[in-house]
Amino acid sequence: MKIIKAKDYEDMSRKAANIISAQVILKPDCVLGLATGSTPIGAYKQLADWYKKGDIDFSEVSTYNLDEYRGLSHDDPQSYHYFMRENFFDHINVDLNNTHVPDGSNPDAAAACSEYDRIVAAAGYPDLQLLGIGNNGHIGFNEPDDHFSKGTHCVDLTESTIQANSRLFDSIDDVPRQAYTMGTQTIMYARMILVVANGEAKAQAVHDMCYGPVTPECPASILQLHTNCVVVADEAALSLCE
Ligand code: F6R
């Protein structure tokens, strides 16, 4: 694991965008694994700015997102489909036909998840997988558990995740209780993993991810076993790693 310390959120976002940009320049038809949440928004904005300046071209890139709430339609403003268009896809020249997010609108969890596994495998898995980390150490929506997950599956979100994500909804009761998420094993198939984290609330999870025991109680800890994992975090998120 390579840990890169950023001064603050802006610095973290620029550094992460630089790494993603290098991937796209080196391999224009690369497969990017993408994340939602607050943390990557600055990196997406930076990449969109570079696209507008003509520095980066996404026309051949394909993308696979980590997760989606179960039960939300693609045009629901709280869905991750919507989030990705609003924060990234609508600002770059990616072909929307080459962007993929698990189908939360499909109530048949087994069918939605196995179809997602099939298309991620057919794409050859991400060249670069971008990850945020939950306060409880989750990656994607792989919550603390007694085993590591494998392929895409339906999860019950933990109270801590529902609480953390409620800031984006009118009320906590509106937060969906289930999501479809890429599994931990699939995440580990990515050839490079880039984790972004900022703020004090992530300090314990970042510490446990980098230096704790490898345990499904902190799903991100498995990234210690990945041969090409880079963590870009600000000083606050790294404050327990000194
Ligand atoms: C989102 C995802 C989640 C988030 C994590 C951190 O697609 O997979 O694991 O990355 O919950 O969320 P933020 O960035 O909002 O703190």
Side-chain angles (χ1 to χ4, degrees), residues 149-198:
S149 63
K150 294 189 172 65
T152 305
H153 57 289
C154 182
V155 286
D156 295 327
L157 302 182
T158 62
E159 274 311 312
S160 115
T161 297
I162 292 166
Q163 187 69 45
N165 289 6
S166 65
R167 70 190 193 281
L168 305 168
F169 289 79
D170 290 339
S171 112
I172 194 161
D173 296 333
D174 294 340
V175 185
R177 270 29 188 184
Q178 288 187 313
Y180 299 151
T181 182
M182 214 184 253
T184 311
Q185 183 180 48
T186 312
I187 292 171
M188 291 292 280
Y189 285 152
R191 285 174 282 292
M192 178 180 182
I193 292 184
L194 170 60
V195 187
V196 284
N198 72 291

Side-chain angles (χ1 to χ4, degrees), residues 34-40 65-67 80 131-135 138-142 161 165 167-168 181 196 198 202:
L34 297 178
T36 60
S38 311
T39 318
N65 262 78
L66 286 164
D67 41 22
Y80 287 171
L131 295 177
I133 178 170
N135 298 352
H138 74 211
I139 48 175
F141 272 133
N142 294 285
T161 297
N165 289 6
R167 70 190 193 281
L168 305 168
T181 182
V196 284
N198 72 291
K202 299 290 171 69

Side-chain angles (χ1 to χ4, degrees), residues 93-150:
N93 65 334
V94 71
D95 179 347
L96 285 179
N97 294 318
N98 293 336
T99 65
H100 309 84
V101 180
D103 185 5
S105 70
N106 185 348
D108 183 341
C113 293
S114 66
E115 171 59 8
Y116 204 63
D117 277 342
R118 190 189 67 71
I119 62 171
V120 177
Y125 299 103
D127 292 293
L128 185 154
Q129 174 68 57
L130 177 63
L131 295 177
I133 178 170
N135 298 352
N136 61 4
H138 74 211
I139 48 175
F141 272 133
N142 294 285
E143 301 282 25
D145 206 339
D146 58 7
H147 63 282
F148 287 109
S149 63
K150 294 189 172 65

